[in-house]
Amino acid sequence: MSSSCCSPDGHCSTGTVAGATATAEPVTTAYAVSGMSCGHCKATLTKAIGELDGVTGVEVDVAAGRVTVTSAAEPDDALIAGVVDEAGYELTGRV
């Protein structure tokens, strides 16, 4: 009898559970944010949004009025809008 990872019905069986070692792909979402004008704005939003649970990265492009958020799962737009508003800026939507 030969040793094979395939079952008699043709399905591969490596002894691991499907998805057990796979990690979810990060989600990247870009938002239009108004009111940003300088490096202080960039630092403020990077810190405020970066402190949210699940957020793994924040990129702020002041000139373009864009904030790109990388997170472990689909972000809560209302939560991010609230943090942006609290910081003194306005999230006007996804881009």
Side-chain angles (χ1 to χ4, degrees), residues 7-94:
S7 66
D9 66 358
H11 289 90
C12 185
S13 174
T14 59
T16 60
V17 177
T21 58
T23 57
E25 290 294 318
V27 177
T28 302
T29 309
Y31 297 96
V33 176
S34 63
M36 300 185 299
S37 61
C38 65
H40 179 264
C41 301
K42 179 177 181 172
T44 299
L45 286 174
T46 299
K47 183 177 186 317
I49 296 169
E51 291 176 346
L52 294 174
D53 285 340
V55 172
T56 58
V58 180
E59 290 183 38
V60 178
D61 184 339
V62 173
R66 179 177 299 146
V67 175
T68 304
V69 177
T70 303
S71 53
E74 189 66 29
D76 181 341
D77 292 347
L79 180 61
I80 292 175
V83 168
V84 169
D85 185 56
E86 248 179 60
Y89 308 96
E90 182 184 2
L91 188 149
T92 58
R94 286 189 180 204

